[in-house]
Amino acid sequence: MIMPSRSTRNRAFLLSAALASASFSANTLAEELRLITWGGYAPDDVVAQFEEETGIDVKVTLSNNEDMISKLRATGGAGFDLAQPSQDRIVGVQRQFNIYKPIDFSRVNTDQLQPSMVKATQDSTELDGKFYGVPSVWGTSGLIVHSSVADTVTDYIDLCDTAVEGQVSYRLKRPTLIGFAFAMGMDPFAAYDNRDEYETIMTKVEDKLIDCKSNVKTYWTGGDQLLALLRTGEVKAAMAWDAGGWKLNAENPDIRFVAPESGALGWIDTFAIPRRSENEEAAYKWINFVMQPEIAARITNASGNFTASKGADEFVKADLRDAYRESFDDAAINNIKWYPPVPPGLETMEGQVLDRVQAAN
């Protein structure tokens, strides 16, 4: 029998070692979840528990809608295994750049999600019969009011009531246009596909906001600025986010967030799978893990925003839970106006309206 030479045996050993190393590296890479998300959505303690239970390392990149789109667009949907864009920032981007893959809802534990939010997310992320988002964290714009004016200000247009002249603040941004339109009895979302009708609605809102200018103490531009105005009492009523209202309520029970009679304006940050995700299995494991009520409550405690997890409010810290329940009963939840995807061109029109409001005397 001819024995292999030492050099042949060495080459075989080295080849075997290289293959084993490559296999080990592949398995190691496969056990990493690359998550691009918002601040507060992946708290350190939640990440640590997921890693311990699954053996999957989580690499978190903090971001926002514009940055997520930019990064995924530049790579054709590569570089991350799971992203968390807002529900109205998916369809247009997907149609243009093809950076996501459809959600396989058979791999999502929808029993632990609020059905109305699953439907709202599917409605706003549907493209060619496929859905591209799972609801994760949600929030609203509505009213933050002091108890002294709570009976007066129950909807957006009440910010124009003479009883609160000089004590009002809101942003000159598109949520203000949308909120005022609903409060004036119009449905701007239903007019998204009819540019002429939408322009008519915006003209009426523009006139209202110009008439309302004498009521405005200042147009707030940053959250800290607004909270300071409300803390000092310079502003008694404002259009703002729910989380800011709940934060103030914890400091001063006389200040609270109110869902307007015409409906709070709702956004949902989703889970979306990038088209070139390298660990889809880990992505679905993360989705199902963090949407467990006890885990989701920890995300709420960290971010100040509630999640689509059914029953999670039971586990949220008491002051935040109680403020939430005071703001939203079932009727108020069902009355939320969820933002649909914005058709091209509307934001330009809205920007021109806002510029004219700003410039008006």
Side-chain angles (χ1 to χ4, degrees):
M1 182 174 67
I2 299 175
M3 299 294 291
S5 68
R6 177 177 295 179
S7 61
T8 300
R9 291 198 302 271
N10 285 344
R11 285 197 298 272
F13 173 78
L14 291 172
L15 178 60
S16 176
L19 290 171
S21 176
S23 175
F24 176 78
S25 297
N27 287 336
T28 301
L29 287 173
E31 288 307 300
E32 179 181 66
L33 173 66
R34 299 164 302 165
L35 172 67
I36 184 166
T37 187
W38 302 75
Y41 289 11
D44 290 344
D45 62 320
V46 170
V47 170
Q49 184 175 336
F50 178 80
E51 291 178 333
E52 182 179 354
E53 292 187 13
T54 65
I56 300 170
D57 292 329
V58 181
K59 180 182 177 182
V60 177
T61 299
L62 299 183
S63 187
N64 56 47
N65 277 315
E66 290 72 21
D67 184 58
M68 285 182 214
I69 293 168
S70 177
K71 283 182 165 61
L72 292 171
R73 178 185 174 186
T75 61
F80 299 96
D81 304 302
L82 185 62
Q84 294 206 249
S86 298
Q87 94 281 11
D88 59 338
R89 298 299 186 93
I90 293 180
V91 168
V93 172
Q94 177 62 14
R95 183 182 288 116
Q96 189 171 4
F97 304 118
N98 189 27
I99 59 175
Y100 298 114
K101 61 174 62 176
I103 295 294
D104 180 356
F105 273 92
S106 70
R107 302 169 73 178
V108 178
N109 183 1
T110 54
D111 288 344
Q112 60 186 10
L113 301 177
Q114 296 187 44
S116 64
M117 293 192 187
V118 173
K119 183 181 185 304
T121 304
Q122 288 181 333
D123 288 346
S124 60
T125 65
E126 186 271 331
L127 181 64
D128 298 330
K130 299 174 182 177
F131 306 117
Y132 286 85
V134 177
S136 171
V137 176
W138 66 278
T140 66
S141 298
L143 297 167
I144 300 178
V145 298
H146 189 274
S147 59
S148 61
V149 300
D151 290 339
T152 300
V153 181
T154 61
D155 211 338
Y156 302 109
I157 56 173
D158 295 332
L159 295 170
C160 302
D161 193 296
T162 55
V164 288
E165 185 172 2
Q167 303 175 76
V168 162
S169 187
Y170 45 80
R171 293 191 302 165
L172 282 182
K173 296 288 186 181
R174 71 181 311 265
T176 301
L177 300 177
I178 300 296
F180 268 71
F182 275 114
M184 293 167 68
M186 299 175 286
D187 186 343
F189 295 160
Y192 265 13
D193 294 328
N194 187 327
R195 186 179 177 88
D196 290 340
E197 183 181 352
Y198 195 77
E199 188 168 12
T200 299
I201 290 173
M202 289 297 104
T203 298
K204 293 177 181 178
V205 172
E206 177 182 339
D207 291 342
K208 183 67 175 178
L209 289 174
I210 290 173
D211 289 343
C212 194
K213 290 193 75 168
S214 62
N215 269 40
V216 179
K217 173 76 174 179
T218 186
Y219 296 117
W220 66 270
T221 56
D224 290 341
Q225 174 198 15
L226 175 65
L227 297 186
L229 290 166
L230 287 158
R231 285 189 182 104
T232 61
E234 293 177 79
V235 166
K236 295 288 178 60
M239 182 177 177
W241 298 301
D242 48 21
W246 295 330
K247 181 177 182 178
L248 289 172
N249 182 259
E251 302 171 9
N252 180 357
D254 283 332
I255 302 174
R256 55 187 289 256
F257 177 83
V258 175
E261 290 178 353
S262 61
L265 302 178
W267 52 265
I268 300 174
D269 288 335
T270 70
F271 297 110
I273 309 289
R275 182 169 62 85
R276 295 166 64 189
S277 168
E278 295 177 4
N279 200 344
E280 209 173 317
E281 180 65 26
Y284 283 105
K285 284 183 179 179
W286 176 265
I287 293 170
N288 291 326
F289 174 79
V290 298
M291 287 295 99
Q292 297 175 91
E294 298 91 337
I295 304 297
R298 284 151 62 184
I299 293 174
T300 295
N301 290 337
S303 68
N305 294 114
F306 282 77
T307 73
S309 174
K310 193 189 306 178
D313 58 306
E314 294 287 345
F315 303 95
V316 172
K317 56 187 179 183
D319 57 344
L320 183 55
R321 180 194 64 223
D322 293 345
Y324 161 76
R325 290 177 175 175
E326 188 175 1
S327 299
F328 287 106
D329 56 17
D330 287 343
I333 289 285
N334 292 332
N335 195 33
I336 292 173
K337 306 299 191 289
W338 300 106
Y339 284 107
V342 183
L346 291 196
E347 287 182 292
T348 300
M349 181 197 303
E350 293 165 348
Q352 293 168 349
V353 169
L354 293 167
D355 288 343
R356 289 194 294 270
V357 172
Q358 177 77 71
N361 295 322

